[in-house]
Structure formats: structure tokens, C-alpha cells
Amino acid sequence: MSKAGFETRAIHAGWEPDPSTGAVIPPIYATSTYKQDGVGGLRGGYEYSRSANPTRAALESTLAALENGERGFAFASGLAAEDTLVRALCRPGDHAVIPDDAYGGTFRLFDKVERVWGLEYSSAPVSDVDAVRAAVRPGQTKLVWVETPTNPLLTIGDIEALAGIAHEAGALLIVDNTFASPYLQQPLTLGADVVVHSTTKYAGGHSDVVGGALVVRDLDLAERIGFHQNSMGAVAGPFDAWLTLRGLKTLALRMERHCDNAERIVDLLVSHPAVSEVIYPGLPEHPGHDVAARQMRRFGGMISFRHADGAEAALRFCERTRVFTLGESLGGVESLVEHPGQMTHASVAGTDLEVPDDLVRLSVGIESLPDQVADIEQALA
Ligand SMILES: *Cc1c(COP(=O)(O)O)cnc(C)c1O
């Protein structure tokens, strides 16, 4: 199925209709254990559901097919995937480079959990190849960790160039592909070693499940990650895996509409007097526009903007919208609005990762465009 088109893989990869019933969709295999045909006589390799479960296996194969990888791994959350990856690839005393505007939870994981365990880190802007190179410590740096676009400032990193920097220093390039989704960007084909997802966002796409994933090409890496997935146990349950698979089937359609609507809303914001700056990689004046145009199919459904009247006005905007629901998270069918400074990025206040207090982040959903536009206009008025 790997040669088939994206939409075909999203719908058919990872599952053949069940030979015993013809079921076209994988059942939710709510089972912890499996009958053995004699000691060690496993059917299809299943022995205990922490190690492997057929519903999770279907999701893992689909994710691998969509990212052009060899193996996928599904976890209970994006952060569970991240923690498992760090333990699989690093030892105390090692070093990682992370984005200077990393997702707040990723920053907290590195700063408050992995650092205590013994992993050192430095942060660098992913858009600045020289700064990332300068932050790498050859021999000690094991991971160069990148988000592109980043959250919430939508900074773009050049995946191919960053892979070169990581590999020169003997490190691996990890790309958190949550904001783009595999439909818009496939980092493994650009030289990344591991793709990370919070499948909670666009992959699941319906704001009804929390999950995470890792995808790799290299089978040796896959073995280390698989060992840690089983040893640490932060796996996706079968119902969560099923919901995520259901979401992935419509990923292409959803992403096209997220992008269509976001582009129209960007047009509105750019010419609005209450908006001082619009941050969207699709804008020609965005500093990462050319790189984004090269490595992404389209520019995504996330928009950040700065309110011309300051922090209070930005907060008021967030509380006035009706179609855009005030809430954390992103990537669902419904539009969401949030104030990063006081919500998703409150934990980085006072650090180098602090974001402007007049910043508003929109996750543009797939409701009717005129309703989205009218909502933003009334909230800015
Ligand atoms: C949400 C998010 C995560 C963390 O994922 P969870 O599923 O919430 O644990 C990591 N990276 C990015 C970019 C995210 O948006």
C-alpha cells in the first residue's frame, strides 16, 4: 500500500478486512491477553496487550504508511511518546537541543523531568540554522528536536538543513510534526530520523481522544523504541487507537478545508485595523515562507496574531468569540481560540520562551467560512 496515494493509504493501510467476518474496520480489541495454542503458540504474535494489540497495531501501521516510515508506535499521549523516545535514545549526561519556542509541555518535560533524570538541554530558534549548529555539542548531543511550524509563533525550520547539522554531529533529528500533520509534511522523506505526533490534534482531529505517536524508518531505531514502549508501558488503549484511526481516514479532506478557511481568515486579519501582526507561514512576508513552501504541501490551519490594542484587548477577543471556542488544544473540526501567554504557554512565563501578551492563537476548524469570518469580525469590533 506504500505506493498508493495519501488518501488511499489513510483509508486502507494497516488493515485487511477480517478474514473470519469481513469487517472492513478493525474491531476495538478490548482484550488484555490472548489464548495460546500450546505454550508459546501465539496467533499473529499477540500475547499481552501492553506489548501488542491488533487495534493499536492497525493504527501503528497506518501512521507509518502516512509518514513514509517503516514502523509506527502509538502512545497514551504525545508527551508519553516524547518521554519514551528520550529514554530510548539518551542516557544521563547526554544533551539535546530543543526549539526556543517549543510546545509548553515539551519544554516542561525537558526542563522539569528529563533534566532531573540527567539529560542536559539547550534551546535554539529552529529557523536559525547557525544558532542550532552552535547549540550542538558534538559527541554529547544525541537529539536535535524540532517543531515546524512551532507553537504558537509558527516559526519554520528547514528540515533538510537541520538533518544535516544533526547528522554531522552524530545526533538524530527529531521532528514534532503535530502542527503540519503527515498530510502537509513528511519529515522522514526530508532526512529526519524520528517523527513525533500528538495525535490528539490533527491526526485524531475530533477533539475526542488524547494520544501520541512515533514513526521511524530505521529498523534498529524501531527496535529500541519498541523495547521502551513495552518496558515503559505508556501505550495507546484499543478504544483510543480506534478513534485515532477513524480520524486519520478523513485527514486529507479535513486538512484541505482547515487550510482553505485559514487562508481566508488570514486575508481578513491582515487588513484589519485591530490587528498589528499576522503570523502565518503562507504569507510571503513570513520569514520562513520559502522553506515552508518547499517542505509543506500547504500552510496549515493554525494562525497567530497580535492585537493592536494590547494584552487586555487580546484577552477580550478570546472571551468574545462564539464559533471559535475558548480552549486549549488544536487541530479538531471545531475552531478554537486561546491566549498563549495565560493558557498553553503560562508555564514558560519569565523564561526565554515567553510569548507576547497581546498574542492570540487560532485553530481554524472546518465550520462554514462565513460563520467563522463573522465571528472574528464581531470579536475584533
Ligand atoms: C499537544 C502537543 C504535544 C503534546 O501532546 P499531548 O497529546 O497533549 O501529550 C506535543 N507537541 C505539540 C506540538 C503539541 O501541540
Side-chain angles (χ1 to χ4, degrees), residues 77-79 82 103 106 147 176 178-179 198 200-201 210-211 330:
S77 70
L79 288 177
E82 295 184 15
Y103 170 73
T106 298
E147 295 173 28
D176 181 336
T178 299
F179 267 45
S198 169
T200 314
K201 318 295 169 49
V210 170
L330 60 111

Side-chain angles (χ1 to χ4, degrees), residues 280-353:
Y280 186 67
L283 287 168
E285 61 267 32
H286 186 291
H289 175 72
D290 292 345
V291 174
R294 206 163 58 230
Q295 69 189 17
M296 298 176 76
R297 191 197 296 255
R298 294 183 70 182
F299 302 102
M302 300 300 298
I303 304 169
S304 290
F305 72 89
R306 298 182 70 172
H307 202 296
D309 302 326
E312 287 305 313
L315 287 166
R316 220 164 36 239
F317 175 90
C318 295
E319 289 169 356
R320 268 195 198 164
T321 54
R322 294 292 170 263
V323 176
F324 282 78
T325 301
L326 178 60
E328 301 198 355
S329 198
L330 60 111
V333 291
E334 68 292 311
S335 292
L336 294 172
V337 60
E338 70 122 357
H339 184 272
Q342 290 198 15
M343 294 170 63
T344 49
H345 287 62
S347 65
V348 298
T351 72
D352 292 349
L353 289 84

Side-chain angles (χ1 to χ4, degrees), residues 26-39:
I28 302 166
Y29 280 93
T31 186
S32 59
T33 190
Y34 304 82
K35 178 186 187 308
Q36 303 191 6
D37 298 322
V39 175

Side-chain angles (χ1 to χ4, degrees), residues 7-26:
E7 291 85 345
T8 308
R9 278 178 278 146
I11 292 166
H12 293 289
W15 178 256
E16 289 294 329
D18 182 339
S20 64
T21 63
V24 295
I25 297 297

